[in-house]
Amino acid sequence: MKPFSEGDFVKEAIIVGMESLLQNYKNRDEIMDMIRKIPLNRMTVSRKAEILSKNRQAQLRGLIQKAVSYSICLDESTDRKDIAQLVVWIRLVMQDHEVFDELLDLRPMLETTTSEDFIQQIFSFFEEYKISIDKITGVTTDGCPSTFGRKMV
């Protein structure tokens, strides 16, 4: 199955469901025409997903700047194609003590997975998201030796 190819299937399911729900409506045909015109092809769904992703990323950047403190959680795992992935979660604590747990980023470790590579990626996250090291209250890892080597940094 190709990514974002479910749009046409979802559209057909919506059409079948709405035809049943709108049986007694006077403007049924008008509503059904509007539903049929909704673009849900692969390219449209892909573009909308990208727009939503950029919007969510901008919201997360705003939250990070407003947070009074944060902690991060790092996890390294391998995907189906045997490529190491570094996952970074962030817990944000706001001025009013509201807490947000968010996926900050997921990055492939394409070359090597030494502790130095992880540190470089982590500092890259900090720079990209403008994370102030002064506000970090904790770092959690899965205990994998390659995350930080034998000695904690």
Side-chain angles (χ1 to χ4, degrees), residues 19-36:
E19 284 176 342
S20 174
L21 289 172
L22 298 174
Q23 282 179 351
N24 299 324
Y25 282 74
K26 294 176 186 174
N27 58 344
R28 175 183 181 269
D29 292 336
E30 182 183 338
I31 294 171
M32 291 307 299
D33 284 341
M34 288 174 28
I35 291 171
R36 285 187 181 92

Side-chain angles (χ1 to χ4, degrees), residues 43-55:
M43 293 304 294
T44 302
V45 172
S46 175
R47 192 171 51 250
K48 296 292 183 185
E50 187 177 331
I51 290 168
L52 288 171
S53 174
K54 287 180 180 177
N55 180 277

Side-chain angles (χ1 to χ4, degrees), residues 57-88:
Q57 203 172 44
Q59 289 178 20
L60 181 54
R61 289 174 195 270
L63 284 173
I64 288 170
Q65 297 311 307
K66 293 177 186 174
V68 293
S69 68
Y70 24 78
S71 57
I72 58 172
C73 178
L74 308 167
D75 186 27
E76 183 261 334
S77 61
T78 305
D79 68 11
R80 292 186 337 193
K81 294 186 178 183
D82 230 17
I83 297 173
Q85 304 281 337
L86 176 61
V87 182
V88 180

Side-chain angles (χ1 to χ4, degrees), residues 23-151:
Q23 282 179 351
N24 299 324
Y25 282 74
K26 294 176 186 174
N27 58 344
R28 175 183 181 269
D29 292 336
E30 182 183 338
I31 294 171
M32 291 307 299
D33 284 341
M34 288 174 28
I35 291 171
R36 285 187 181 92
K37 290 179 184 175
I38 296 173
L40 288 180
N41 62 47
R42 217 170 55 112
M43 293 304 294
T44 302
V45 172
S46 175
R47 192 171 51 250
K48 296 292 183 185
E50 187 177 331
I51 290 168
L52 288 171
S53 174
K54 287 180 180 177
N55 180 277
R56 183 62 193 132
Q57 203 172 44
Q59 289 178 20
L60 181 54
R61 289 174 195 270
L63 284 173
I64 288 170
Q65 297 311 307
K66 293 177 186 174
V68 293
S69 68
Y70 24 78
S71 57
I72 58 172
C73 178
L74 308 167
D75 186 27
E76 183 261 334
S77 61
T78 305
D79 68 11
R80 292 186 337 193
K81 294 186 178 183
D82 230 17
I83 297 173
Q85 304 281 337
L86 176 61
V87 182
V88 180
W89 289 86
I90 189 165
R91 172 171 280 176
L92 305 158
V93 180
M94 309 311 280
Q95 184 69 38
D96 62 359
H97 303 289
E98 189 173 6
V99 176
F100 296 93
D101 290 315
E102 299 288 338
L103 173 64
L104 182 64
D105 214 326
L106 169 70
R107 293 224 182 127
M109 303 292 289
L110 298 174
E111 310 235 345
T112 58
T113 57
T114 65
S115 58
E116 187 174 315
D117 296 326
F118 283 105
I119 295 295
Q120 286 176 352
Q121 281 292 344
I122 293 163
F123 281 112
S124 170
F125 290 130
F126 292 172
E127 187 177 310
E128 182 179 335
Y129 288 93
K130 296 181 178 36
I131 294 174
S132 170
I133 294 176
D134 298 338
K135 293 183 180 181
I136 295 177
T137 58
V139 177
T140 304
T141 70
D142 64 355
C144 179
S146 66
T147 307
F148 284 105
R150 289 191 338 223
K151 296 179 183 179

